[in-house]
Every structure is written in structure tokens, then in C-alpha cells.
Amino acid sequence: MTADPRAGTVADGPAHALLFLTCRRSQPVADTSQSDDMSPTARTGLSAHWHRLSIRQKQVVWAWAFLAVPIVFYIVVRFYPTGNAFVLSFQEWNLLGSREWVGFENYVDLWNDPVFWIVFVNTFEYLIIGTPISLVISFFVAYHLDKVRFMHGTIRALYFLPFMTSAVAMAWVWRWFYQPVPIGVFNNFLAQFGIPQIEFLQSTSIALPAVLAPAVWAGLGFQVIIFMAGLRAIPPTYYEAARVDGVSNWTMLWEITLPLLKPTIVFLVVFSSIGFLRIFDHVFNMTTNNPGGPLNSTKPLVLMIYETAFGGRSQMGAAAAQTVVLFVILLIVSLVQLRILRDR
Amino acid sequence: MANLALRDLVKTYDRTEVLHSINLDVQDGEFVVFVGPSGCGKSTTLRMIAGLEEVTSGTVEIGGQVVNNLEPKDRDIAMVFQNYAIYPHMTVRKNIAFGLRTSKMTRAQKEARIEEVAGILGMTEYLDRKPNQLSGGQRQRVAIGRAMVRDPAVFLFDEPLSNLDAQLRTQMRLEIKKLHRRVGSTIVFVTHDQVEAMTMADRIVIMKDGHIQQIGSPAEVYHAPANTFVAQFIGAPSMNLLDGRGTASGVTLWTGAALATGPGAEGKALTIGIRPEDLHVVESGGVLTGIVSVAEPLGSETLVYVDVDGKEIIASASGRTPPVAGDRIALDLDVRNLHVFDAASGEALA
């Protein structure tokens, strides 16, 4: 087989090579060396079928052959569990017993649960505070970093580093930063100037922003890189023409840079919104003794789902209902953002 | 309206000098074209005039005032870029209006000015369109409109036609020339296309490797090239450059043919230039004979590539009864059409 020099030139894939070889083999009738179990007529039939297809049809066959793998994967790993969760949200199940239909009871319970509404507000606080702040900071950094030539690569790497760091490790380091004197860095710093202690993770009003800060910081590197790619894509002559026209840097920023960055901004707004709506590991790790505390003031929806499902009582149906609610929130927020930002 | 002067202009990038002492005077209302191969420094020179590049040494004067340290906006110039630099998210009107952002005109005056410019460029009906709804030529016009609206003393064009197809380029060439006659501003135009330079310029500045090779009217640079570079760069097809040697009465070509160009370069190694259209196919006699290797019919004429003693020479033959490949033909010339250059320096001999 490998002795055939033409066999080596077939790079389209093993299946193609196989077809090629079968049609090659079937031609010489006098070839007695073949002792395969497939009959020559069957192979002739297959290759004849293949050769009867038009180029377009062959492309379609190949496309589906390659698509089949991810499609199967997605159905098994994504779509089936998703569908299952929807069904489960109308049932009661403790992971071990049988599932029982309860209709909308899980949703009604959720609606009447005061904790859910706290969590609901928290989740949106993460979104509404986190997304704009992280976008403004990352744009500010990218805009200026784009103009810096000195140590450009190093500085960019420094911004990107947190993105590559494990959220768990980061959360614990920040948790240490937030400790009271003499342990916590921030409070030590404040104490040097005689400023009273801030109970970062113990105060119901400050805990949420305190948990959010490292999450913003962690995502910054990614957003900076994306913003810089967007900035680089704007032709420099746009700015040169503006300079010749004599407009201010401020005008250039608002009338040229930002409008032309719109596709980048839309992408980052949607992407980071989804991220903040799904915040979990930072909160969980920074408030482990009392997850989502103090008094549920930092608890996001994903953490609530986690606790409902795996927090001891294994209320899988209720957790599924909460998941469906989260899914609907994500869907609505993303669609609204796309609608608002896309055409204007 | 203003004249423009470059005095000993030098540009250095990281200790590499890319422009070497450029001197040029552009009269008020003159149309000057910088032409040369890529990397010759023509765009850099233009950008220094615009104020987009720092001047390393020497001066740029506009209207008698040294502008080296002035911002582009304070130089009373406008520039048209190769990629037009018109903003895709703004309408044509807004793009043109961008040129007036810092102007002290009232809103009504600005509107009137935009309408006026759009009228001159034939863009009135497109004012409320976005650039992606325009053709290449129309975008080019928007870019020119943006420059015109400010009524600058000097217009700078940086290869504005190179993104257009051949037909549109010819058309825009004509339009820019007409515009110049109508508006009368000083124009500095950069191109790598010698045809653009020849057709549009009052004066051509030919550059190579950061040096000016020759400054002159299109006729001057065509008929009296200063050196072999200019001789070959201007004119298509290029001038033939032949090896020769000076004699008491004129020159002897490498084939041994003697031409009576007059005394003056006795014993010197020379380069003899002759344009293809100055070589005539003759029945018999002639100065050079050779075999046609390729014939390129262009309709009005046929270019013949003739192998003369191992040297390929381009000649222009009649379009009606052209020689064909393989023909043995004789070429004649008039010694008055010869260009004589020093073989070593490439400089033209008087």
C-alpha cells in the first residue's frame, strides 16, 4: 500500500485515501495478491457511487462527515442536559429517588423565596457595576498602552497575567488583602494614614464590591487585548486626516475611535455581562465560611443554584428551576444588549 | 494661496538618513508631482510638508513662513490620503464637514460651503449617503471634498489614485487637473506612476533613494533626462540604453556602428539612450540589425523586441504592417534623438 507513491499524496483524510485505494485496487482484474474479505464488486459499487456524485455533493458529504463529530458531542454533552434541566425544573428529585412531577411548584416557591430576590438583585449588581467599570478601565489601559512603545510586550503580559491565573488562588490572595490589621494589606495601608479599618468582607454593603474587584481585575487582561486588537484595526490615516483637520484628541476619541470600535465594544459588553451574571468562584472562595455572606449580601444566582443542588438537601428540581431562570436572564440581557448596541 | 519651499530638508530614522538635503521651490498655484519608485522618500517628503513627520534638519516654508514646528492644522494645508481616510460611520456630509470642525464659520456658512464643494465635485445627491454606498471614484471625491472645504493654501495628495482601476484613474486624473485649473491652489501630488506625473504636473520632481534626480516640466524630463535613471523611469516603454564609446567625431556603439553626434567625449565609456519611438524599422541599411524575438501589437503601434548582437532593444513599429517574431529587421535612427550619458556616473553629457 505504502509502496504506491500516489497513496502518499492523498492528504484529504483517511477515508478519502481508502476510497482512492479501493478504486485503484479494483481496476487491475488480474491482481491476485488481494485476499481481503470484502468482495471486489462491493468496492466497485462504493467507489462508483462516490464518483457519480458532483463536486458539490462530495463537498456536502465531506462537510457533514466532519460536522458529525462536534454535533454528536454537543447533543450528548450540551443539548441533552439542557433539555433535561428544563424538564427537571417541573419535577422534584433528590438525586437518588424517582422524579416526581410537581408542575410549576418549583417556580412558585422561588418567586416566594425572599432570598431569591436578594440574590436576584445581587446578580444584577455584579452585572451593572462590573461590566461598565471593567470596560472603562480596560479601554483606558488599552488606549494608552497602544501608544506606549517602551516595554510594550512586558506591560501587556502583566495585564494578561491575572486572566491566566486560577480564580481560586486569586480569590484567596485577595481575601488575605482584605483582612484586618495586622494581616491585610489594604487595612495596613489605611492604618498608616490613620484611616479607620474597613471591614471589607464582613460588611453587607462593602462585601459585594470587594468580591467584585478581583473579578474585574481578572478579566481585565483579556479585555485589554481585545480592545488593543480593535484599536490596531483602525487605519492610522484616519487619525492623520483628523490631525490635518485640526480636531482635538477628545474629538478623535469620541468621533473616530469609539464609533469604529463599536463591534469590539458590543462583543466585550455581551461577553463580560455573561461573565458577571455567572460569577461564582470568586464569591465562593472569598466567603467560604459562609458562602454568599454576610447575610446573603454577596450571593449570586449561580451560588444559590449550587447550594440548592449540592448544599445538603439535594433539591435538584428547585435548582433546575433556578438554572432556567438564570438562562432566561442571560438570554434576555444578551439579546437586549445586541439589539441596543448593534444598529444605531 | 501660497508658495512652498523646502530647504536642505533631511529625514533620519534611527540614524539612517532616508532623505538627503531636499531643495525645492513650488510657486503659488503650481501643480508639482513627486514621482519615483517605492521607498524613494516621496511620501516622507509630503508627510513632512504636512507636519505628520518631524523634520530632522532643514526647513519647510509655506507662504514664506517656516512651519517646522507647527501642527498640521496650523499649516494651512489639506491632505488627501491613499486610502481616502473617510470615516465609514459618517455620511458624506459629515465627512466633508469634518474638515470644518475647527473653523470659525457659522453653521449656515458651513452648510453653504459644504453644498458648494459638493456641487463642484458633483456629489450633491450623495451627501446623505454613507461611504460604503459609494463607488471608489465617489469616495475619492469625498476625500478631495474634505480637503477642499477648508480652502487651504496647499493641497497635498498622497498617491490618491492608486486604489482605483485603470479607467477610473484616467478619469480622476483629468478631474483633479480640471479642479486645479478651477481652484488654482498650489498642489503637491505624490505618485509612483510616471504617466500620472507626466499628464498632471506643471513640474515633475523625480526622486530615487532620498535624492532628487531631476526637477523639470514633463517635456524637459522626457526630452532631456538628467541621468540614466530619469531616462528609464520616464516614458513607457523605457528608453533603450546602449553601450558605446566616445570618438573624435561622435560615438561608436558596441556593435561597431559609428554615429556622428559631435565631438566632446573622446575615449570615454558612454551610455547611449534612444527611445523606442525614435527607432524606425527600415527596409535596408539602418544602424542596427537584429532578429525580432517578440512583437507586442498595441493597435496604433507594435512594440518589437529585437535581439541585436545579444542585446535586447525595444523599437516601435507601424501598427499596420508590423514585423513578426523571427523576422530579421534593420533599425534606423536620427542622431539628434540620441541621449548621451557618462557610463560611469550615468549623468547626461551636454
Side-chain angles (χ1 to χ4, degrees):
Chain A
M1 256 200 204
T2 48
D4 185 347
R6 287 170 65 186
T9 63
V10 179
D12 298 19
H16 193 157
L18 188 73
L19 282 167
F20 174 72
L21 286 169
T22 50
C23 70
R24 282 271 300 157
R25 279 268 193 105
S26 59
Q27 277 161 3
V29 187
D31 187 357
T32 52
S33 67
Q34 56 181 24
S35 56
D36 299 348
D37 45 21
M38 267 174 94
S39 71
T41 48
R43 280 195 233 98
T44 315
L46 185 65
S47 72
H49 268 299
W50 176 253
H51 285 291
R52 219 175 295 139
L53 297 176
S54 68
I55 293 176
R56 171 102 190 101
Q57 286 168 326
K58 284 179 189 167
Q59 284 174 338
V60 169
V61 170
W62 275 116
W64 279 108
F66 281 108
L67 280 175
V69 178
I71 286 173
V72 167
F73 178 81
Y74 265 88
I75 286 173
V76 174
V77 174
R78 292 266 163 147
F79 299 147
Y80 170 72
T82 307
N84 209 346
F86 274 93
V87 174
L88 189 55
S89 71
F90 298 102
Q91 295 174 327
E92 217 160 72
W93 187 39
N94 63 4
L95 267 178
L96 298 171
S98 58
R99 297 178 171 200
E100 277 171 46
W101 284 95
V102 293
F104 283 92
E105 200 185 293
N106 289 326
Y107 290 99
V108 174
D109 287 349
L110 196 58
W111 182 270
N112 293 325
D113 181 358
V115 175
F116 169 73
W117 292 106
I118 297 174
V119 166
F120 186 85
V121 170
N122 286 345
T123 307
F124 274 90
E125 270 183 43
Y126 282 117
L127 167 75
I128 288 162
I129 303 172
T131 302
I133 288 184
S134 69
L135 255 75
V136 168
I137 297 177
S138 59
F139 176 76
F140 183 82
V141 170
Y143 185 72
H144 289 95
L145 190 54
D146 191 42
K147 292 175 178 164
V148 172
R149 287 286 145 266
F150 177 71
M151 303 244 292
H152 180 89
T154 315
I155 299 173
R156 204 170 47 175
L158 283 176
Y159 278 108
F160 199 65
L161 218 53
F163 186 70
M164 301 189 295
T165 311
S166 141
V168 178
M170 208 181 319
W172 280 86
V173 170
W174 277 75
R175 191 177 171 165
W176 164 62
F177 284 172
Y178 284 142
Q179 294 306 306
V181 279
I183 304 168
V185 173
F186 293 144
N187 274 326
N188 273 337
F189 182 77
L190 295 177
Q192 288 205 335
F193 298 94
I195 301 170
Q197 296 281 290
I198 297 177
E199 304 245 297
F200 288 105
L201 296 173
Q202 281 74 46
S203 148
T204 50
S205 54
I206 298 176
L208 190 139
V211 169
L212 183 59
V216 168
W217 177 66
L220 224 52
F222 176 75
Q223 297 180 347
V224 166
I225 300 286
I226 300 292
F227 265 131
M228 283 192 33
L231 287 169
R232 289 281 163 91
I234 300 174
T237 46
Y238 284 6
Y239 299 113
E240 288 177 347
R243 270 181 73 194
V244 172
D245 288 341
V247 301
S248 64
N249 286 339
W250 190 247
T251 310
M252 281 192 217
L253 175 65
W254 283 97
E255 307 235 347
I256 301 172
T257 312
L258 289 176
L260 290 172
L261 268 184
K262 208 168 120 183
T264 312
I265 296 171
V266 171
F267 168 76
L268 283 177
V269 165
V270 172
F271 200 84
S272 91
S273 298
I274 293 173
F276 284 117
L277 285 173
R278 296 198 313 188
I279 190 166
F280 171 75
D281 26 17
H282 284 96
V283 189
F284 187 73
N285 284 288
M286 291 180 75
T287 59
T288 37
N289 333 359
N290 173 19
L295 295 172
N296 294 321
S297 65
T298 61
K299 190 178 282 181
L301 198 43
V302 180
L303 182 53
M304 188 184 185
I305 295 168
Y306 175 83
E307 289 188 325
T308 312
F310 310 112
R313 291 202 291 151
S314 297
Q315 296 168 303
M316 301 313 282
Q322 292 161 7
T323 309
V324 170
V325 169
L326 176 65
F327 172 80
V328 171
I329 292 172
L330 285 172
L331 192 69
I332 292 172
V333 167
S334 302
L335 288 178
V336 166
Q337 286 173 340
L338 282 177
R339 175 60 55 87
I340 292 172
L341 291 168
R342 195 185 284 154
D343 36 51
R344 191 161 33 107
Chain B
M1 303 293 117
N3 52 352
L4 167 76
L6 309 180
R7 300 262 178 268
D8 298 318
L9 204 58
V10 172
K11 179 69 188 177
T12 309
Y13 287 115
D14 296 333
R15 280 184 237 149
T16 312
E17 197 171 291
V18 293
L19 273 185
H20 320 279
S21 196
I22 299 296
N23 280 290
L24 177 71
D25 278 287
V26 179
Q27 300 308 313
D28 186 18
E30 197 176 17
F31 196 137
V32 167
V33 176
F34 283 46
V35 67
S38 39
C40 71
K42 55 191 191 298
S43 279
T44 307
T45 311
L46 192 78
R47 292 168 59 83
M48 284 162 87
I49 298 171
L52 296 171
E53 295 276 353
E54 288 263 337
V55 174
T56 308
S57 74
T59 58
V60 176
E61 291 170 30
I62 295 173
Q65 185 197 2
V66 175
V67 295
N68 282 27
N69 295 322
L70 289 187
E71 279 289 312
K73 65 180 162 104
D74 300 321
R75 295 189 178 201
D76 202 7
I77 50 141
M79 186 154 168
V80 178
F81 292 84
Q82 181 173 357
N83 68 354
Y84 317 141
I86 52 177
Y87 304 122
H89 56 286
M90 297 183 193
T91 60
V92 170
R93 187 188 300 277
K94 280 192 130 184
N95 264 291
I96 295 177
F98 212 80
L100 291 176
R101 280 305 279 255
T102 52
S103 143
K104 290 186 182 66
M105 290 183 191
T106 64
R107 198 185 189 89
Q109 282 173 321
K110 284 183 181 175
E111 282 300 318
R113 178 75 186 136
I114 292 164
E115 292 288 341
E116 184 192 348
V117 166
I120 294 173
L121 294 167
M123 292 294 291
T124 309
E125 57 192 299
Y126 302 104
L127 274 176
D128 294 311
R129 294 215 190 161
K130 290 270 182 77
N132 61 7
Q133 297 166 301
L134 301 177
S135 70
Q138 289 167 336
R139 284 180 210 185
Q140 179 64 77
R141 255 172 247 163
V142 176
I144 294 173
R146 215 180 106 170
M148 268 176 69
V149 76
R150 301 174 51 214
D151 197 16
V154 182
F155 272 104
L156 307 174
F157 288 86
D158 189 6
E159 306 217 21
L161 305 183
S162 47
N163 285 359
L164 301 177
D165 65 52
Q167 203 181 349
L168 208 52
R169 200 181 302 177
T170 316
Q171 191 192 329
M172 286 308 294
R173 209 160 73 191
L174 194 66
E175 284 190 28
I176 293 176
K177 202 168 170 174
K178 280 181 184 164
L179 194 70
H180 176 238
R181 292 192 64 172
R182 181 167 176 173
V183 183
S185 326
T186 311
I187 294 184
V188 180
F189 189 105
V190 160
T191 176
H192 61 267
D193 182 352
Q194 59 95 15
V195 177
E196 266 171 39
M198 291 292 284
T199 50
M200 299 172 84
D202 292 328
R203 268 196 309 157
I204 299 180
V205 178
I206 298 150
M207 294 184 68
K208 182 199 170 200
D209 300 336
H211 289 282
I212 290 182
Q213 301 293 312
Q214 188 172 3
I215 303 175
S217 69
E220 277 165 8
V221 296
Y222 188 79
H223 294 295
N227 54 39
T228 51
F229 174 79
V230 175
Q232 286 220 297
F233 193 81
I234 299 291
S238 282
M239 182 188 278
N240 294 297
L241 293 181
L242 313 171
D243 293 334
R245 186 160 282 283
T247 62
S249 61
V251 294
T252 311
L253 293 181
W254 86 111
T255 56
L259 299 168
T261 55
E266 199 170 345
K268 245 187 184 167
L270 300 174
T271 298
I272 313 298
I274 179 90
R275 293 209 179 268
E277 67 266 27
D278 293 329
L279 282 170
H280 308 291
V281 179
V282 290
E283 292 291 320
S284 58
V287 178
L288 301 164
T289 54
I291 294 174
V292 177
S293 58
V294 177
E296 286 182 340
L298 298 175
S300 64
E301 57 171 352
T302 295
L303 296 178
V304 287
Y305 293 75
V306 189
D307 183 2
V308 180
D309 278 8
K311 166 95 183 158
E312 188 165 78
I313 288 174
I314 309 172
S316 166
S318 133
R320 294 203 183 276
T321 53
V324 294
D327 282 0
R328 186 170 189 82
I329 61 168
L331 298 169
D332 201 6
L333 54 81
D334 187 331
V335 290
R336 283 172 301 183
N337 295 330
L338 288 183
H339 305 270
V340 182
F341 305 97
D342 184 296
S345 67
E347 297 299 317
L349 299 178

